[in-house]
Amino acid sequence: MAKSKKAKPYIIMGIVAFAVILFLSTGPLYIVDEGNQVVVTRLGRIVSTHTDAGLYVKIPFLDQVTTYPSKILSLDGDPARIPTKENQYIIVDTTSRWRITDPALFYQSIRTIESAYIKLGDIIDSSTRTVISNNRLAEIVRSSNIINDRQNTTEELSGIEEEDSAEIEALINGNIDLESVTKGRSLLCGEMLRQAQKAVAEGEFGVELLDIVPRQVKYSDELTESVYNRMIKERNQVAQAYRSLGEGKKAEWQGKLQKEKATIQSEAYKKAEEIKGAADAQATAIYAEAYSKDPDFFAFWKSLESYKSTMGNFDTTYSTNLDYFKYLYGSDGKR
């Protein structure tokens, strides 16, 4: 009996120590770290929320603290095959940013971050499909009409003369007809975001959707070949524009060459005729002067020159009874 009385204080002290340790282990105090926010529930009912970092008190065993991040979170969607307004399928992979703005409402409606990813993923996928299905392919893959203005071609033509550059641009613009963009990808992203934000607000999830951005837009397999063929066609048209300009320049320079050649030949012929005329005049003057000094010798010499140039052309001479042959006989020129 005495031993029992002595052991009783130790038992009580052990129970108290265990209770203190259990109390301290469950903790009447908890810390909210920077970048986090908490929801405190008591028997399943929300009693408080804390969005500021600091040290807070709870009732052990009764209060349950659920921690959520207060920073901006990202959500990467899965690639989805979506038809455009022209019923051309493209592969769209989106990424978005969101954050928890009302932890109490988030706890009541969604409860976990994993569930939020699933819920937001469905909303974003729905808004993305709706917007893309109602717009043309050009609106989705392009943000402006800069390609229609041929800015890249203008840079290619920077080393070409201004009039030639303008001619090539005119040829290219006349051959290639690209669709004009009225909205563009940036505005379509805004439409996706507004539709998704409306669904999130109506669902009262306690979250804010910040943006939706197509991380990647790819052509589907059946569309890729037609797009490549169109790109090849456009580049061939650009190449043909260069060829057309080259052929035109070739014809232009050949025309100039022929004109210059004709001009040079005409000037050369004129000069040659002038020289020949002057030479003939000088020869005539010399002949006239020589003839005037000794007319008989001049006649004799000219006759000999004539014989030399003509007699070899005759196979047979049937009569020499002509005055033409007077210098062929005798020293006096007679028979």
Side-chain angles (χ1 to χ4, degrees):
M1 192 71 177
K3 289 182 180 180
S4 168
K5 289 183 179 179
K6 289 181 179 180
K8 188 174 182 180
Y10 295 106
I11 295 174
I12 296 173
M13 291 176 61
I15 294 173
V16 171
F18 176 77
V20 170
I21 292 172
L22 183 63
F23 179 81
L24 293 176
S25 63
T26 56
L29 304 175
Y30 64 93
I31 298 173
V32 177
D33 294 327
E34 194 71 41
N36 288 336
Q37 51 191 337
V38 300
V39 175
V40 181
T41 57
R42 184 175 301 155
L43 301 177
R45 183 174 62 87
I46 298 175
V47 293
S48 64
T49 60
H50 301 288
T51 57
D52 296 328
L55 182 65
Y56 297 92
V57 180
K58 68 175 182 177
I59 299 176
F61 306 110
L62 296 180
D63 290 349
Q64 180 70 35
V65 178
T66 304
T67 303
Y68 298 120
S70 59
K71 59 186 178 182
I72 295 176
L73 305 174
S74 63
L75 172 60
D76 296 331
D78 297 325
R81 189 169 181 266
I82 306 174
T84 64
K85 190 175 183 179
E86 307 97 328
N87 203 32
Q88 296 176 326
Y89 283 86
I90 58 175
I91 309 299
V92 181
D93 183 7
T94 61
T95 183
S96 56
R97 296 182 302 164
W98 64 285
R99 62 186 175 190
I100 301 172
T101 55
D102 189 335
L105 187 58
F106 182 84
Y107 181 87
Q108 292 173 338
S109 58
I110 298 181
R111 188 65 64 92
T112 65
I113 297 294
E114 290 74 16
S115 298
Y117 282 134
I118 296 173
K119 180 68 71 175
L120 291 176
D122 293 339
I123 293 174
I124 292 171
D125 181 70
S126 176
S127 65
T128 301
R129 288 181 178 275
T130 300
V131 172
I132 290 179
S133 299
N134 291 330
N135 289 275
R136 297 178 292 111
L137 177 63
E139 302 283 355
I140 300 163
V141 299
R142 290 163 51 194
S143 297
S144 67
N145 287 309
I146 188 172
I147 190 173
N148 296 36
D149 300 332
R150 304 281 174 242
Q151 293 297 326
N152 55 341
T153 304
T154 301
E155 293 177 1
E156 293 174 4
L157 301 177
S158 59
I160 301 178
E161 294 182 4
E162 185 175 350
E163 61 272 14
D164 296 343
S165 175
E167 184 174 348
I168 291 179
E169 286 194 67
L171 287 170
I172 295 173
N173 291 330
N175 290 333
I176 303 177
D177 183 22
L178 295 176
E179 293 181 276
S180 295
V181 174
T182 57
K183 294 181 180 178
R185 186 165 55 189
S186 298
L187 288 180
L188 295 186
C189 290
E191 290 184 12
M192 297 176 194
L193 179 61
R194 285 190 292 273
Q195 288 193 19
Q197 285 176 333
K198 182 179 179 181
V200 170
E202 290 175 351
E204 296 183 349
F205 300 128
V207 302
E208 178 185 9
L209 189 60
L210 301 176
D211 59 20
I212 299 176
V213 179
R215 185 171 54 181
Q216 187 179 39
V217 178
K218 297 192 301 183
Y219 298 114
S220 59
D221 294 338
E222 63 271 20
L223 185 58
T224 299
E225 184 175 357
S226 65
V227 171
Y228 285 165
N229 289 336
R230 177 166 182 173
M231 293 169 63
I232 292 171
K233 178 183 176 182
E234 291 176 357
R235 299 315 299 177
N236 285 337
Q237 289 170 335
V238 172
Q240 186 57 44
Y242 281 98
R243 293 192 194 101
S244 298
L245 178 66
E247 291 296 330
K249 289 297 179 183
K250 176 183 176 182
E252 179 183 343
W253 282 106
Q254 284 182 337
K256 289 181 179 180
L257 178 63
Q258 292 298 328
K259 182 179 179 181
E260 290 179 3
K261 178 181 177 182
T263 301
I264 293 172
Q265 288 178 336
S266 176
E267 290 293 331
Y269 179 77
K270 176 183 176 182
K271 197 168 184 179
E273 290 299 314
E274 290 176 352
I275 294 172
K276 286 168 65 178
D280 289 341
Q282 187 177 1
T284 302
I286 293 172
Y287 289 148
E289 184 181 355
Y291 180 77
S292 63
K293 288 182 177 181
D294 192 346
D296 292 336
F297 177 78
F298 181 78
F300 173 73
W301 177 261
K302 294 299 289 185
S303 294
L304 291 180
E305 290 291 324
S306 178
Y307 296 157
K308 185 188 297 185
S309 62
T310 59
M311 292 300 289
N313 297 328
F314 301 140
D315 295 332
T316 303
T317 303
Y318 294 100
S319 175
T320 59
N321 189 20
L322 297 171
D323 192 54
Y324 177 73
F325 297 105
K326 63 182 181 180
Y327 293 111
L328 292 178
Y329 308 96
S331 58
D332 57 354
K334 297 181 181 179
R335 294 188 183 94

